[in-house]
Amino acid sequence: MKVLSIVGARPNFMKVAPLHRAFSKFSDIESKIVHTGQHYDAKMSDVFFNQLELPKPDYFLGVGGGSHTQQTAKIMVEFEQVMLAEKPDIVLVVGDVNSTIACAMVAVKEHVPVVHVEAGLRSNDRGMPEEINRIMTDCISDHLFVTEQAGMANLKRESIPDEKVHFVGNVMIDSLVYYRSKASQLELLKELNLDRKSYVLVTMHRPSNVDDAEGLKNILAIVKDTSEHKHVLFPVHPRTLKNMETFGLLDDLKTLSNVTLLEPQGYLEFLYLMENAALIITDSGGIQEETTYLKVPCITFRASTERPVTVELGTNYLLSDLNPESVKELVSEILGGKSKKGQIPPLWDGHAAERIVEILRNKYAK
């Protein structure tokens, strides 16, 4: 059984790593990795391959940036050549980035089964390009591996046949469980002269939040207000940094007292900083899941979430807009000891990849 697993953007690496490790335990499975280069930056890509112990990708397509349409088209053209050369038994895609839908479409047209890991998630906001990618990928996939019960309900509502759908847990949590001990050995807090739970960790990168002056001014106000409670650590995403500079706000950000700006962090470093934070303020998708598992309070700036279990069972709070006053009130409440305790969702136990590989091996191993 030959499997091509696709990675394109930072979150994909954490999802493919446990799958590749699980595939590699079997001599009758050939696991190859295709890196589309959708997001390519040494700080946000190479470091993940090194830290997650992934081998050098068998293929690097180097597609780079461009509009959603341009990027998707470039990936399809380049990946078609890989498909014709490799003739895999399965193409495995994860998450919801442009690489996910692009490679899935090529595989389907080549009559190769598509496996979608992290299927069924829905924000019900079609203004998000990721939502379109999710819906389309699920519609054409042969096997859909689901992380939470909401995903099962979504796929049933969309009339995806039950025999295609498998509730297996969360491969993102597999990586967290596997690397948690290694991350705990870091000494970042000592280097930053901070104690456990003495700081708030902030990340912001979504275009809807960081691509205009109003959003960036609100982020500036939120960071400033939060720093009056605790020290703020802010690993600044390249997009956010560039836009802060463009709108003339970077100097204001740099001069805030009780705030430390950091470069984008490696996976282990960020896991360490999450686990030791008193609170995380973010607009990320995956961080909602990781903080729920770690039982660290998390405020997420999104009008909706495709991961509702993090709000219903976990430690996540959803805020629909970057309103500094709303954030100030919630931060004060959480840091004052009134935060959710949270529960770890079903099957988020570090063994999702093993379940996935067992199902695929039973179906496709010759």
Side-chain angles (χ1 to χ4, degrees), residues 118-139:
E118 202 181 69
L121 299 181
R122 298 288 181 270
S123 66
N124 299 310
D125 176 5
R126 293 201 179 191
M128 295 174 68
E130 297 92 340
E131 183 77 350
I132 305 303
N133 292 343
R134 291 179 202 121
I135 293 167
M136 290 175 65
T137 304
D138 285 343
C139 188

Side-chain angles (χ1 to χ4, degrees), residues 183-199:
S184 71
Q185 294 166 29
L186 298 176
E187 296 191 341
L188 269 177
L189 290 188
K190 190 182 288 185
E191 294 166 23
L192 293 165
N193 199 28
L194 291 170
D195 297 319
R196 286 188 76 252
K197 306 300 179 184
S198 69
Y199 62 92

Side-chain angles (χ1 to χ4, degrees), residues 287-319:
I287 289 174
Q288 300 171 72
E289 297 177 324
E290 292 167 321
T291 50
T292 279
Y293 185 87
L294 295 169
K295 296 191 175 180
V296 175
C298 179
I299 298 173
T300 304
F301 292 108
R302 301 272 293 276
S304 59
T305 179
E306 67 282 1
R307 296 164 166 92
V309 75
T310 64
V311 177
E312 294 159 6
L313 276 187
T315 54
N316 189 25
Y317 299 80
L318 211 59
L319 288 185

